[in-house]
């Protein structure tokens, strides 16, 4: 396997295509699903970054068999920290559009062109995927109810007119990616991103996406009880800036 | 003075003098806070009736209750402080982990899309073949 090692933080924009798209995938113990997720993204022909968040399984090794960039945190830092690492890398490589995509196969690559279009047209800075504008497959009713509550809370606190929250399928323009700084290392990063979109006055739109739930993704994904933990993390983030 | 006072007063005096020395050295407010805690403890141990008098004044009743409430408040504050320190320390750890990850980025199996990135990199002389 050939591999290249970049110099850290070497932004070089002049020689990049105007619409260079980088897909950032945060992966933690995804050995069972990363292969399928990456295979499904091959046809997009975009640059892909897999950031292994200190997995104890061969997630990185499996990802490295694909034509993608792989990075690895030496320890488990959390999804928010992992996405920021991927975004930093993409920005340093001259990305003009950065997609965040879940490693567990919940997202549908077929939604990607419609997600990218507003960024390519410079119609907005951030595109947020919405499962409630699109569709969900096998979503538990309790999860739907909790997300509806979280969305209502987000609308009240951030002022954003969103229909979904904590959806990991997003696209950032380069401007947005350099403007937003994810400081919440764990689950609360999703709310933090929305807060920063509001406070920094970034232009955003929502696009319908499909989210597929399986027993495995429900087992590993956010639990209903995590709502309290996310609130505590957000509060801590506001106290200790 | 009773035995307990003989045992604790020298310890608290030593701690207080260490805080004074530390404050004179670096002028950090945390030393003044700790000094206040040690001196309060010292005064309450030397004059046990004082706690009861202050408790009466505050409507608590017993001096032991006053000390217990103060202990609870200080413990909560201490836990809050330690949580904050841990939170910020974690951020630093994440930053270190990120730097390490960015340094160790590798490109997997070659394909047309990633060859573009690789060729750009070699043109710029930014990367090393592993």
């Amino acid at each position: 396997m050939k591999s290249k090692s970049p110099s850290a933080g070497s932004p070089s924009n002049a020689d990049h295509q105007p619409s260079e798209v980088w897909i950032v995938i945060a992966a933690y113990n995804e050995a069972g699903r990363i292969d399928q997720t990456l295979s499904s993204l091959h046809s997009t022909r975009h640059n892909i970054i897999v950031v292994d968040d200190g997995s104890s399984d061969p997630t990185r090794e499996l990802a490295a068999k694909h034509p993608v960039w792989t990075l690895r945190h030496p320890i488990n830092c959390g999804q928010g920290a992992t996405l920021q690492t991927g975004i930093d890398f993409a920005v340093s490589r001259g990305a003009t559009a950065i997609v965040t995509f879940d490693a567990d196969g919940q997202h549908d690559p077929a939604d990607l062109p419609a997600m990218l279009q507003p960024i390519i047209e410079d119609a907005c800075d951030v595109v947020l995927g919405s499962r409630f504008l699109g569709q969900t497959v096998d979503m538990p009713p309790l999860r739907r109810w909790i997300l509806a509550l979280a969305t209502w809370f987000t609308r009240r606190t951030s002022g954003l007119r969103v229909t979904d929250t904590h959806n990991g399928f997003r696209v950032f323009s380069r401007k947005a990616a350099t403007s937003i700084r994810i400081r919440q290392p764990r689950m609360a990063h999703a709310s933090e991103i929305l807060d920063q979109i509001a406070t920094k006055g970034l232009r955003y739109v929502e696009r319908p996406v499909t989210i597929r739930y399986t027993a495995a993704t429900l087992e590993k994904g956010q639990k209903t009880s995590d709502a309290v933990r996310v609130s505590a993390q957000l509060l801590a983030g506001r106290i200790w800036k | 003075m009773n035995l307990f006072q003989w045992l604790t007063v020298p310890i608290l005096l030593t701690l207080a003098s260490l805080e004074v020395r530390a404050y004179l050295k670096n002028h950090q407010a945390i030393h003044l806070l700790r000094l206040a805690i040690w001196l309060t403890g010292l005064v309450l141990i030397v004059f046990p009736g004082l706690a009861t008098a202050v408790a009466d004044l505050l409507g608590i009743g017993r001096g032991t209750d006053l000390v217990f409430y103060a202990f609870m408040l200080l413990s909560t504050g201490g836990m809050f402080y330690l949580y904050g320190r841990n939170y910020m320390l974690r951020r630093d750890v994440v930053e270190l982990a990120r730097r390490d990850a960015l340094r160790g980025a590798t490109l997997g199996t070659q394909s047309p899309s990633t060859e573009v990135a690789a060729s750009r990199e070699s043109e710029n002389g930014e990367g090393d073949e592993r």
Side-chain angles (χ1 to χ4, degrees):
Chain A
M1 181 185 71
K2 280 185 183 177
S3 64
K4 301 280 285 183
S5 173
S7 59
S10 54
S12 172
N13 304 332
D15 57 342
H16 288 285
Q17 300 298 316
S19 61
E20 193 156 323
V21 177
W22 286 71
I23 301 173
V24 175
I25 299 175
Y28 175 63
N29 287 346
E30 291 289 356
R33 292 173 289 201
I34 193 73
D35 195 57
Q36 194 179 349
T37 301
L38 292 176
S39 296
S40 72
L41 286 166
H42 282 177
S43 59
T44 65
R45 311 281 294 171
H46 297 310
N47 301 289
I48 299 171
I49 308 165
V50 176
V51 186
D52 177 8
D53 190 21
S55 297
S56 55
D57 68 7
T59 296
R60 185 181 192 178
E61 289 73 15
L62 289 168
K65 290 177 180 168
H66 292 262
V68 301
W69 286 95
T70 60
L71 288 77
R72 178 178 162 83
H73 283 164
I75 54 168
N76 180 248
C77 296
Q79 193 185 32
T82 311
L83 286 175
Q84 187 61 59
T85 299
I87 291 168
D88 281 354
F89 183 74
V91 167
S92 78
R93 307 297 295 177
T96 52
I98 296 161
V99 181
T100 61
F101 197 88
D102 281 3
D104 57 10
Q106 277 195 325
H107 298 154
D108 188 349
D111 293 326
L112 197 50
M115 289 283 286
L116 281 167
Q117 200 58 35
I119 297 288
I120 292 168
E121 291 170 353
D122 195 27
C124 68
D125 302 309
V126 184
V127 181
L128 303 166
S130 170
R131 76 199 92 188
F132 298 114
L133 292 178
Q135 56 177 323
T136 57
V137 180
D138 296 330
M139 184 183 199
L142 182 61
R143 180 65 60 93
R144 183 181 295 277
W145 187 81
I146 291 290
L147 278 170
L149 192 66
T151 303
W152 175 83
F153 185 75
T154 300
R155 289 167 71 110
R156 297 282 295 182
T157 55
S158 69
L160 299 181
R161 313 308 296 169
V162 291
T163 60
D164 195 0
T165 186
H166 283 248
N167 188 327
F169 200 170
R170 315 173 190 89
V171 186
F172 299 101
S173 67
R174 184 180 179 84
K175 176 191 163 192
T178 51
S179 171
I180 291 171
R181 190 75 195 164
I182 303 172
R183 292 173 63 84
Q184 289 287 349
R186 297 199 174 270
M187 293 169 292
H189 74 274
S191 300
E192 187 190 24
I193 288 170
L194 294 175
D195 280 348
Q196 291 196 36
I197 289 171
T199 55
K200 293 174 191 296
L202 296 169
R203 299 169 300 161
Y204 69 96
V205 291
E206 284 190 304
R207 285 289 177 267
V209 295
T210 300
I211 305 285
R212 288 189 175 80
Y213 291 87
T214 63
T217 58
L218 286 168
E219 175 67 29
K220 187 160 182 251
Q222 288 191 24
K223 310 286 184 297
T224 303
S225 58
D226 286 339
V228 177
R229 200 171 300 164
V230 168
S231 304
Q233 287 169 2
L234 284 171
L235 183 65
R238 292 193 178 181
I239 296 170
W240 294 287
K241 292 192 175 181
Chain B
M1 295 227 294
N2 58 35
L3 180 63
F4 178 74
Q5 289 171 324
W6 278 114
L7 286 172
T8 51
V9 168
I11 294 171
L12 289 170
L13 277 175
T14 307
L15 288 170
S17 59
L18 286 173
E19 295 299 344
V20 170
R21 203 173 72 166
Y23 179 73
L24 291 175
K25 207 171 178 180
N26 55 29
H27 295 282
Q28 287 183 347
I30 187 73
H31 297 299
L32 290 180
L33 180 70
R34 285 192 204 138
L35 177 65
I37 292 169
W38 304 140
L39 290 180
T40 306
L42 185 72
V43 169
L44 289 177
I45 287 170
V46 174
F47 306 104
L50 196 63
T52 306
V54 175
D56 265 341
L57 202 68
L58 295 172
I60 295 170
R62 294 192 308 172
T64 47
D65 288 341
L66 174 73
V67 173
F68 178 71
Y69 293 156
F71 175 75
M72 292 297 285
L73 283 172
L74 279 173
S75 299
T76 308
M79 280 165 59
F80 191 72
Y81 171 76
L82 287 175
Y83 183 83
R85 287 290 294 255
N86 182 51
Y87 186 83
M88 289 188 283
L89 187 66
R90 182 157 191 88
R91 275 189 183 165
D92 292 342
V93 170
V94 164
E95 204 52 50
L96 279 174
R98 178 168 297 137
R99 286 184 196 178
D100 186 74
L102 290 169
R103 270 198 299 269
T106 55
L107 187 58
T109 313
Q110 298 290 293
S111 78
S113 63
T114 47
E115 275 170 7
V116 173
S119 64
R120 279 185 196 138
E121 188 180 359
S122 59
E123 281 167 18
N124 293 339
E126 291 173 342
D128 306 307
E129 195 78 38
R130 280 191 181 173

